[in-house]
């Protein structure tokens, strides 16, 4: 879960803790303070949230972000905790929620996550550097696709603002804080927010109807994340990444050897 705090806004630590429960593969933050960005990270959610809240209280005047990771690519290590400097420049950092396109996904021997690869190799490219330009914003959001969300914080003097949100409409604002999804609610695993689904089933539009065991929509039987009805989900589908098990062999669907997972046959 990715959280963005505009200047002057303090974090809701309960919301961050709820998000960390559902995304517990590492936690990190960034706070703009004058001409520097304060960052921190760790595997212990409570410790990182407390540290972030204390530092944000001391440095409230510019934007900040907090991220709790749900690992989809790359090992669960501190090196893969957001945020990451873009092109190794500590003046500009990014954090991301979602699954990035194939170009950012690591090769077999690359220990980096997709977001870390994007920060190292993709967003440092010239075509993505002018983040304050409307044309570049459109280019970035087109590359991200519909469901990926991105926050960039910067103190580089080339940029007029310190904080930039990409695919803002894919998340939502609550009490002047922007959240990438609804994992910050105190919800149970059967609720759609646990699955990272904010706007209802992509196939039929019904909300709050995801089966906690299969990840399928209880209303229509399709995959609510990629709208697949009778065929296997594509490899990027969040349902596969969430660790749903195949009814036949018991393996996670992304590792399943069955031709068509029986769960998709309704």
């Amino acid at each position: 879960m990715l959280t963005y705090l505009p200047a002057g806004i303090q974090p809701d630590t309960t919301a961050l803790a709820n998000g960390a429960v559902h995304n517990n593969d590492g936690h990190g933050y960034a706070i703009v303070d004058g001409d520097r960005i304060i960052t921190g990270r760790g595997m212990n959610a409570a410790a990182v949230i407390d540290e972030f809240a204390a530092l944000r209280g001391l440095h409230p005047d510019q934007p900040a972000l907090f991220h709790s990771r749900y690992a989809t690519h790359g090992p669960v290590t501190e090196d893969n905790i957001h945020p990451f400097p873009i092109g190794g420049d500590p003046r500009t950092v990014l954090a991301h929620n979602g699954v990035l396109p194939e170009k950012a996904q690591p090769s077999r021997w690359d220990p980096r996550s997709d977001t870390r690869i994007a920060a190292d190799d993709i967003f440092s490219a010239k075509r993505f550097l002018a983040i304050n330009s409307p044309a570049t914003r459109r280019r970035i959001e087109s590359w991200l696709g519909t469901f990926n969300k991105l926050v960039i914080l910067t103190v580089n003097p080339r940029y007029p603002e310190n904080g930039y949100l990409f695919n803002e409409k894919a998340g939502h604002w609550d009490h002047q804080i922007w959240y990438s999804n609804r994992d910050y609610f105190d919800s149970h695993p059967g609720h759609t927010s646990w699955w990272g689904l904010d706007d209802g089933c992509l196939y039929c539009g019904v909300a709050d109807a995801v089966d906690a065991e299969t990840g399928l929509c209880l209303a229509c039987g399709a995959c609510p994340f990629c709208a697949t009805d009778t065929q296997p989900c594509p490899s990027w589908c969040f349902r596969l990444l969430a660790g749903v098990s195949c009814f036949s062999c018991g393996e996670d669907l992304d590792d399943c050897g069955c031709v068509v997972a029986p769960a998709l046959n309704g």
Side-chain angles (χ1 to χ4, degrees), residues 68-219:
S68 286
R69 183 185 182 215
Y70 184 101
T72 59
H73 295 89
V76 178
T77 64
E78 287 204 9
D79 288 341
N80 280 328
I81 296 175
H82 307 212
F84 303 102
I86 293 180
D89 184 349
R91 296 177 300 172
T92 306
V93 302
L94 67 77
H96 154 257
N97 176 247
V99 180
L100 289 172
E102 186 175 355
K103 185 177 180 181
Q105 295 176 17
S107 63
R108 183 176 181 183
W109 305 114
D110 192 335
R112 299 177 295 171
S113 69
D114 55 342
T115 309
R116 187 173 157 202
I117 289 172
D120 288 348
D121 304 333
I122 296 173
F123 284 96
S124 59
K126 185 177 181 180
R127 69 191 186 105
F128 283 159
L129 284 179
I131 55 176
N132 57 305
S133 160
T136 302
R137 172 176 290 276
R138 290 192 295 270
R139 189 177 300 124
I140 290 173
E141 292 184 341
S142 175
W143 183 79
L144 288 172
T146 305
F147 301 107
N148 285 288
K149 304 125 203 177
L150 184 75
V151 172
I152 293 178
L153 298 184
T154 183
V155 293
N156 189 326
R158 70 177 290 174
Y159 303 117
E161 306 292 337
N162 295 124
Y164 295 88
L165 261 171
F166 297 89
N167 279 345
E168 177 182 348
K169 292 181 179 178
H172 67 283
W173 291 89
D174 190 339
H175 291 86
Q176 298 181 281
I177 300 174
W178 181 87
Y179 298 93
S180 62
N181 55 43
R182 300 183 190 275
D183 285 353
Y184 71 94
F185 283 134
D186 185 12
S187 59
H188 59 82
H191 190 279
T192 52
S193 67
W194 186 83
W195 294 92
L197 191 68
D198 297 336
D199 299 315
C201 174
L202 195 61
Y203 189 87
C204 70
V206 174
D208 296 333
V210 176
D211 188 300
E213 296 296 326
T214 67
L216 297 175
C217 177
L218 293 169

